[in-house]
């Protein structure tokens, strides 16, 4: 069979005629969503390949009332975790025949709403929200409008959500430090308006309570998730004498941990000799720092696949699905060099 000449458009009707089947049969055989394994379907696909036929998936989707496109809303792509999360969402969407389109909001609720409306104006089949605020009204509005959506890496407790179990992660990090012998442990977590920050702190408190440690409230700092936030918190925690400062810090993401590392270095405090440190998310840089960082690893690929499925293949309950984190110990977590401070 001769291939089409360059520039010639091969239609579904051409494929059907060359295959000796009806147009509807050829269409079903070439539908990537329900690819048949029958000999007849294989014959149609072989003829289509020989002719150089290219299916117009966009037009087919429009006829079905869908665009096979998902909108992804993130605070910013300059954040390593958000960039990695979008990459995984893109892969998971592509494997299911969807295209992922991203927009940023900068953690501003008004900008987030405008970005969501822009994506919806492009007839996306659903929205994935990686924005972080617990007081965010957008998920409620999407539920009221019956827009297919899922939250990723966070939850409001109501909308479909795919995330790591942040409370378990916070517990694993602090339990690791306690098992190394630390009792003077500080926690630098994310903002109070985030489900990740509150859940990771709850996990840390659980580990303290389990070990019978009364945590110091001034050592539980709610900061932002940037390196500069970690640096500021590190300066505050490490400004005292060796006898009055914490011997270990759990930082609720790797950026915070890197900021704490910088503050410790500036103060002449050695990690891990003088200060043990554990981060969160296990970003690629954490293992390649001069002192490799212990961190809690979150399965972003699994979370991404779950988020996509919550929209395109929702299935039964539960709507809120948590993936288990794993502690990755490295050189930054060492044993304390002094006895614990007395609690008054």
């Amino acid at each position: 069979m001769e291939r089409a000449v360059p520039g010639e458009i091969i239609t579904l009707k051409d494929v059907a005629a060359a295959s000796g089947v009806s147009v509807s049969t050829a269409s079903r055989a070439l539908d990537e969503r329900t690819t048949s394994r029958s000999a007849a379907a294989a014959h149609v696909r072989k003829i289509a390949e020989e002719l150089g036929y290219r299916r117009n998936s966009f037009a087919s989707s429009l006829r079905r009332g869908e665009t096979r496109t998902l909108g992804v809303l993130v605070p910013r792509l300059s954040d390593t975790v958000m960039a990695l999360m979008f990459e995984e969402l893109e892969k998971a969407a592509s494997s299911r025949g969807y295209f992922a389109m991203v927009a940023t909001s900068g953690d501003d609720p008004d900008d987030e709403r405008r970005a969501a409306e822009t994506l919806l104006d492009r007839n996306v089949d659903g929205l994935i929200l990686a924005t972080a605020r617990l007081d965010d009204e957008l998920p409620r509005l999407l539920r009221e409008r019956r827009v297919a959506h899922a939250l990723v890496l966070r939850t409001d407790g109501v909308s479909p959500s795919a995330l790591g179990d942040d409370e378990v992660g916070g517990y694993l990090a602090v339990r690791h430090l306690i098992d190394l012998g630390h009792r003077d442990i500080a926690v630098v977590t994310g903002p109070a308006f985030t489900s990740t920050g509150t859940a990771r702190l709850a996990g840390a408190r659980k580990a303290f309570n389990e070990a019978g440690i009364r945590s110091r409230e001034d050592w539980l700092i709610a900061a932002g998730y940037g390196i500069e936030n970690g640096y500021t918190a590190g300066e505050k925690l490490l400004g005292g004498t060796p006898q009055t400062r914490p011997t270990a810090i759990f930082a609720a993401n790797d950026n915070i941990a890197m900021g704490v590392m910088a503050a410790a270095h500036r103060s002449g405090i050695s990690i891990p000799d003088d200060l043990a440190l554990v981060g969160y998310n296990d970003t690629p840089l954490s293992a390649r720092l001069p002192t490799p960082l212990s961190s809690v690893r979150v399965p972003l690929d699994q979370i991404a696949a779950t988020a996509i499925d919550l929209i395109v293949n929702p299935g039964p309950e539960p709507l809120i699905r948590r993936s288990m984190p794993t502690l990755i110990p490295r050189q930054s977590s060492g044993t304390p060099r002094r006895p614990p401070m007395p609690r008054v």
Side-chain angles (χ1 to χ4, degrees):
M1 179 177 297
E2 294 183 3
R3 290 185 62 88
V5 297
E8 183 180 358
I9 297 175
I10 301 299
T11 67
L12 183 62
K13 187 176 179 180
D14 295 329
V15 175
S19 304
V21 299
S22 67
V23 172
S24 60
T25 298
S27 178
R28 286 194 298 273
L30 297 172
D31 190 339
E32 67 276 4
R33 298 173 304 154
T34 56
T35 302
S36 171
R37 296 184 180 180
S38 71
H43 172 67
V44 172
R45 290 194 291 273
K46 182 173 183 294
I47 295 296
E49 183 179 357
E50 290 174 351
L51 289 174
Y53 171 74
R54 185 172 181 180
R55 183 177 178 84
N56 189 336
S57 298
F58 181 71
S60 300
S61 294
L62 287 179
R63 287 193 294 272
R64 296 191 300 267
E66 58 184 29
T67 61
R68 309 291 289 180
T69 303
L70 299 174
V72 180
L73 197 52
V74 301
R76 58 191 64 80
L77 284 172
S78 57
D79 181 280
T80 303
V81 175
M82 288 296 105
L84 293 171
M85 187 73 256
F86 178 66
E87 285 184 7
E88 294 297 340
L89 287 166
E90 207 172 26
K91 291 178 193 173
S94 179
S95 71
R96 290 155 177 79
Y98 283 77
F99 175 75
M101 179 187 303
V102 70
T104 59
S105 69
D107 267 336
D108 182 281
D110 292 333
D111 288 345
E112 178 193 43
R113 201 165 303 174
R114 281 191 289 269
E117 292 294 345
T118 299
L119 290 169
L120 291 173
D121 286 344
R122 282 159 173 75
N123 295 319
V124 295
D125 295 331
L127 287 177
I128 295 174
L129 310 180
T131 44
R133 303 185 70 94
L134 283 170
D135 57 359
D136 185 3
E137 288 291 303
L138 183 56
R140 178 184 62 80
L141 295 173
L142 294 176
R143 292 194 299 270
E144 290 176 354
R145 292 168 57 179
R146 299 190 177 183
V147 174
H149 67 285
L151 312 187
V152 70
L153 292 180
R154 60 107 168 189
T155 182
D156 66 352
V158 183
S159 281
S161 308
L163 66 159
D165 195 318
D166 290 302
E167 184 169 337
V168 169
Y171 171 86
L172 290 174
V174 173
R175 184 73 245 183
H176 171 62
L177 294 170
I178 292 171
D179 290 344
L180 288 171
H182 293 278
R183 296 297 180 270
D184 298 325
I185 303 169
V187 178
V188 185
T189 188
F193 61 72
T194 63
S195 66
T196 51
T198 55
R200 290 170 196 175
L201 178 58
R205 288 186 184 276
K206 181 178 179 180
F208 286 139
N209 293 337
E210 184 180 87
I213 298 172
R214 185 159 53 86
S215 57
R216 285 181 46 167
E217 290 301 315
D218 60 327
W219 283 2
L220 306 178
I221 299 176
Y225 276 134
I227 293 175
E228 67 281 0
N229 303 114
Y231 185 85
T232 301
E235 282 190 316
K236 180 179 179 181
L237 290 167
L238 302 175
T241 66
Q243 290 71 37
T244 60
R245 64 191 181 216
T247 61
I249 295 176
F250 163 46
N253 81 349
D254 289 350
N255 281 344
I256 295 174
M258 284 185 266
V260 171
M261 277 186 165
H265 178 74
R266 185 179 179 87
S267 298
I269 296 169
S270 172
I271 296 174
D273 295 335
D274 303 319
L275 177 72
L277 183 62
V278 177
Y280 204 103
N281 288 318
D282 194 34
T283 52
L285 184 58
S286 61
R288 295 169 177 80
L289 293 167
T291 301
L293 177 67
S294 298
S295 189
V296 176
R297 178 177 295 167
V298 181
L300 296 182
D301 56 343
Q302 183 179 332
I303 291 170
T306 300
I308 300 295
D309 284 340
L310 282 168
I311 293 179
V312 305
N313 186 28
E317 305 283 352
L319 290 177
I320 299 172
R321 303 177 189 176
R322 291 178 171 85
S323 299
M324 283 298 108
T326 307
L327 177 75
I328 309 298
R330 296 192 181 97
Q331 294 175 19
S332 69
S333 49
T335 57
R337 299 179 67 180
R338 63 165 172 78
M341 294 168 53
R343 295 292 193 265
V344 179

